[in-house]
């Protein structure tokens, strides 16, 4: 038994040694496998670093812009669209105010100039009511016979300059020494024309004058005219003859106030004047007629402008020369008036009981303005 046990122990020892040797073999194999892999060189990461740098820079800028916008809050941007003419127009109220002031400025009685100061107070603010003319300096009496706006311009939205042309009668005072002796004669009155620039400020309550006006010299008239600005003159004899006949007949009816006759000279009854009164001047004759071409606006009718100089006489027999500008169209080889240059409400003239108002087609097709006078 002892022998058997001894053999069993030896056999067990051998098996244990073999078992212990097996992991060593596996470990040896693993090391052999590791030795077969060669080491590699590390890859370059410079490009990735640049891309990452650019990316984070953009992100930081976006975050910074968002932070600034949040700190500023909501901003409202007002956009103004301006259409048409942006030039400041001087209103009729400003011009009328300047005319009234100029009239009062040049109107006074040498014996009672205080009245002038009282009248000027309603126009001015912040300056002396005598406007620089002292009472003891007045040696003449002045009366305005006419005042009209010569020119006007805007300095800004509230300040304007209106040039007024004043025609006045000036009467000097008689000599004081001769007057005391009863020998003074009344000096003759003289006429004077003055151009004055009136500075007008538009306040919330209305126009006001805050500074003294200034006098300017008479404006120089033009001497030359650019030929390119002149309209194209018509030399066709037949057309000029028809224009002359139309102008003579039309203007004669106009001065006579013949509304029942003048309507036949118009291309359309909608252009006929509302009312027509007899002029205080008598039409005498046609002096000169010129015909100019006007660009066609409807593509069918030919449009012309007739400039007619006529001779008229007043009720006292005084001769005068008037100039008219008639816009006409040619229809069916005849000329008809479109406008005479006078701004007025255009409505058909009422027809008489025995003469109906013709329609535009009927008047143009069957009525000859030259024949209607015969």
């Amino acid at each position: 038994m002892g022998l058997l046990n001894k053999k069993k122990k030896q056999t067990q020892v051998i098996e244990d040694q073999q078992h212990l040797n097996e992991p060593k073999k596996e470990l040896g194999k693993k090391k052999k496998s590791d030795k077969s892999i060669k080491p590699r060189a590390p890859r370059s990461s410079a490009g990735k670093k640049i891309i990452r740098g650019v990316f984070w820079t953009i992100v930081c800028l976006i975050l910074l812009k968002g932070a600034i916008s949040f700190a500023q809050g909501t901003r409202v941007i007002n956009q103004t669209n301006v259409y048409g003419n942006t030039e400041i127009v001087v209103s009729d109220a400003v011009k009328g105010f300047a005319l009234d002031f100029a009239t009062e400025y040049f109107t006074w009685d040498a014996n009672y100039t205080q009245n002038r100061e009282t009248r000027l107070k309603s126009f001015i603010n912040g300056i002396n009511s005598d406007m620089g003319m002292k009472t003891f300096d007045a040696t003449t009496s002045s009366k305005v016979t006419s005042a009209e706006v010569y020119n006007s311009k805007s300095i800004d939205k509230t300040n304007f300059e209106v040039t007024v042309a004043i025609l006045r009668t000036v009467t000097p005072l008689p000599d004081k020494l001769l007057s005391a002796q009863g020998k003074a004669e009344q000096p003759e009155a003289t006429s004077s024309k003055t151009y004055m620039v009136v500075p007008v400020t538009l306040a919330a309550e209305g126009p006001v004058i805050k500074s003294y006006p200034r006098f300017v010299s008479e404006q120089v008239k033009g001497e030359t005219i650019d030929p390119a600005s002149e309209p194209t003159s018509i030399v066709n004899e037949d057309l000029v003859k028809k224009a002359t006949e139309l102008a003579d007949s039309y203007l004669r009816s106009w001065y006579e106030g013949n509304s029942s006759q003048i309507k036949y000279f118009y291309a359309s009854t909608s252009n006929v004047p509302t009312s027509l009164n007899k002029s205080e001047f008598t039409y005498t004759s046609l002096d000169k007629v010129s015909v100019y071409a006007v660009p066609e606006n409807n593509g069918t009718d030919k449009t012309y402008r007739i400039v007619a100089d006529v001779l008229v006489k007043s009720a006292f027999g005084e001769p005068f020369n008037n100039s008219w500008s008639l816009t006409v169209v040619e229809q069916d080889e005849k000329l008809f008036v479109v406008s005479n240059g006078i701004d007025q409400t255009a409505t058909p003239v009422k027809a008489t009981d025995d003469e109906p108002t013709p329609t535009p087609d009927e008047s143009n097709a069957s009525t000859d303005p030259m024949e209607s006078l015969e």
Side-chain angles (χ1 to χ4, degrees), residues 40-315:
R40 298 180 180 180
R43 295 181 179 179
S44 176
S45 59
K48 293 183 179 180
K49 290 182 179 179
I50 294 175
I51 295 175
R52 283 197 296 268
V54 173
F55 172 77
W56 286 113
T57 301
I58 295 174
V59 171
C60 292
L61 291 175
I62 294 174
L63 293 177
L64 180 61
K65 183 178 180 180
I68 294 174
S69 300
F70 179 79
Q72 291 179 343
T74 304
R75 293 184 298 173
V76 178
I77 300 176
N78 295 325
Q79 180 178 359
T80 303
N81 296 325
V82 180
Y83 302 95
N85 186 13
T86 59
E87 183 180 357
I88 302 174
V89 179
V90 183
S91 66
D92 291 339
V94 172
K95 295 178 182 178
F97 184 81
L99 283 174
D100 290 343
F101 168 79
T103 302
E104 301 298 344
Y105 183 93
F106 279 109
T107 301
W108 68 82
D109 185 345
N111 298 316
Y112 186 53
T113 57
Q114 188 65 33
N115 177 263
R116 174 179 178 271
E117 297 183 18
T118 303
R119 288 183 278 109
L120 290 177
K121 285 182 180 179
S122 59
F123 295 90
I124 63 179
N125 184 16
I127 48 181
N128 295 331
S129 58
D130 59 15
M131 297 299 290
M133 192 187 80
K134 305 303 179 182
T135 303
F136 54 83
D137 292 334
T139 58
T140 61
S141 295
S142 175
K143 182 180 180 181
V144 175
T145 55
S146 69
E148 58 183 21
V149 175
Y150 184 84
N151 190 19
S152 62
K153 67 177 182 178
S154 60
I155 306 302
D156 50 45
K157 292 183 178 180
T158 58
N159 293 283
F160 308 91
E161 287 189 346
V162 182
T163 303
V164 182
I166 304 103
L167 184 63
R168 61 193 181 105
T169 301
V170 181
T171 306
L173 288 175
D175 184 84
K176 294 182 178 181
L177 180 59
L178 295 178
S179 296
Q181 298 175 355
K183 299 179 181 180
E185 296 181 357
Q186 184 65 33
E188 294 183 0
T190 58
S191 180
S192 174
K193 189 174 185 179
T194 305
Y195 290 86
M196 181 174 68
V197 179
V198 182
V200 181
T201 300
L202 194 59
E205 302 80 9
V208 66
I209 295 174
K210 300 170 60 178
S211 60
Y212 293 107
R214 67 178 184 273
F215 303 127
V216 294
S217 59
E218 185 173 356
Q219 304 301 306
V220 179
K221 68 179 181 68
E223 295 292 343
T224 59
I225 299 176
D226 184 6
S229 64
E230 291 293 301
T232 304
S233 178
I234 302 297
V235 295
N236 184 286
E237 293 183 2
D238 182 58
L239 184 61
V240 173
K241 180 180 178 182
K242 289 189 289 187
T244 302
E245 293 174 351
L246 174 63
D248 181 68
S249 302
Y250 175 85
L251 295 175
R252 189 181 298 275
S253 299
W254 179 273
Y255 279 95
E256 292 176 353
N258 192 342
S259 58
S260 62
Q261 180 65 40
I262 202 170
K263 61 186 177 183
Y264 295 112
F265 298 103
Y266 279 89
S268 173
T269 54
S270 61
N271 295 328
V272 179
T274 305
S275 61
L276 193 61
N277 298 324
K278 180 177 173 56
S279 174
E280 60 178 314
F281 293 88
T282 303
Y283 180 90
T284 302
S285 63
L286 195 64
D287 183 40
K288 181 183 177 182
V289 172
S290 300
V291 184
Y292 302 93
V294 176
E296 299 179 9
N297 52 8
N298 54 14
T300 57
D301 301 330
K302 294 182 178 179
T303 307
Y304 303 98
R305 180 160 61 91
I306 301 175
V307 177
D309 293 340
V310 299
L311 300 176
V312 298
K313 285 186 178 181
S314 67

